[in-house]
Amino acid sequence: MTLNGVVFTMPQRYARLALEAPENSVALYDKKYKDGMVVTVPAAPFVEQDVRDSLLKASLKTFFPKESHPYVWKSENQLRKVSKFEIGDFLGKGFNQSNLLVFEFRHIVFDRKDLFVGTIFEARKGKRAEAMFKSEGTAMSMTTCGAAAELIYSFTGEKIDPDRPPCELIANVP
């Protein structure tokens, strides 16, 4: 797939969807896990936060069009980098009084070209969603992280480091 001169491979299980978003963007959807991804290669000049906001807006409109209440968003800690070419990221959780969504955004610069990858998934519903929104933690999707890494690596040519996989969940048990 090519966007604005940048070539990348669509992750396995993902299909392309119609998207009302900025020029040079594509929406991808994984039916099995119900995860969405929006990829863009904007024309220069651009402002990273504006690109992030437009991808979030496009993600909500494309993947959650039936939600009637607006989402309130909280920024979380930074994401663990999946690429050595990653120069910016955003991790946020949004709650609309019934659903909790998690939006991850990555800015990659390789060979003087900018690629932005946003992923979104529904983490919880109902009271569990509200409790998670109010807490400090957030949900993580190994499948969306893996798909984003797969797409990014197809652009940068990187390989997964078997000693330090980008989407591995590490937990310390007392």
Side-chain angles (χ1 to χ4, degrees), residues 51-70:
V51 173
R52 182 191 76 210
D53 292 348
S54 70
L55 288 186
L56 177 57
K57 183 178 179 182
S59 294
L60 291 171
K61 192 177 227 179
T62 302
F63 303 114
F64 300 96
K66 296 178 183 174
E67 294 299 322
S68 57
H69 297 291

Side-chain angles (χ1 to χ4, degrees), residues 74 93-101 123-137:
K74 281 186 184 179
K93 57 185 177 183
F95 182 62
N96 73 345
Q97 304 305 313
S98 62
N99 294 337
L100 180 76
L101 302 180
R124 300 277 188 277
K125 289 184 175 212
K127 294 206 179 288
R128 291 177 56 202
E130 183 176 15
M132 181 174 266
F133 183 72
K134 290 178 179 178
S135 75
E136 293 297 315

Side-chain angles (χ1 to χ4, degrees), residues 82-94:
V82 299
S83 168
K84 65 182 176 184
F85 301 104
E86 192 170 323
I87 65 164
D89 64 34
F90 172 82
L91 172 61
K93 57 185 177 183

Side-chain angles (χ1 to χ4, degrees), residues 8-28:
F8 59 90
T9 304
M10 218 170 26
Q12 295 178 21
R13 290 189 323 272
Y14 278 76
R16 188 174 183 167
L17 299 179
L19 174 68
E20 291 180 36
E23 189 176 356
N24 300 314
S25 298
V26 63
L28 306 172

Side-chain angles (χ1 to χ4, degrees), residues 101-158:
L101 302 180
V102 175
F103 179 73
E104 299 174 353
F105 171 86
R106 298 175 189 278
H107 180 184
I108 310 298
V109 177
F110 178 73
D111 198 22
R112 297 189 317 247
K113 296 179 181 175
D114 293 87
L115 173 76
F116 294 89
V117 179
T119 57
I120 194 164
F121 64 93
E122 183 178 73
R124 300 277 188 277
K125 289 184 175 212
K127 294 206 179 288
R128 291 177 56 202
E130 183 176 15
M132 181 174 266
F133 183 72
K134 290 178 179 178
S135 75
E136 293 297 315
T138 191
M140 178 186 173
S141 169
M142 300 294 273
T143 58
T144 57
C145 179
E150 182 182 336
L151 187 146
I152 291 165
Y153 291 176
S154 75
F155 167 56
T156 65
E158 293 171 277

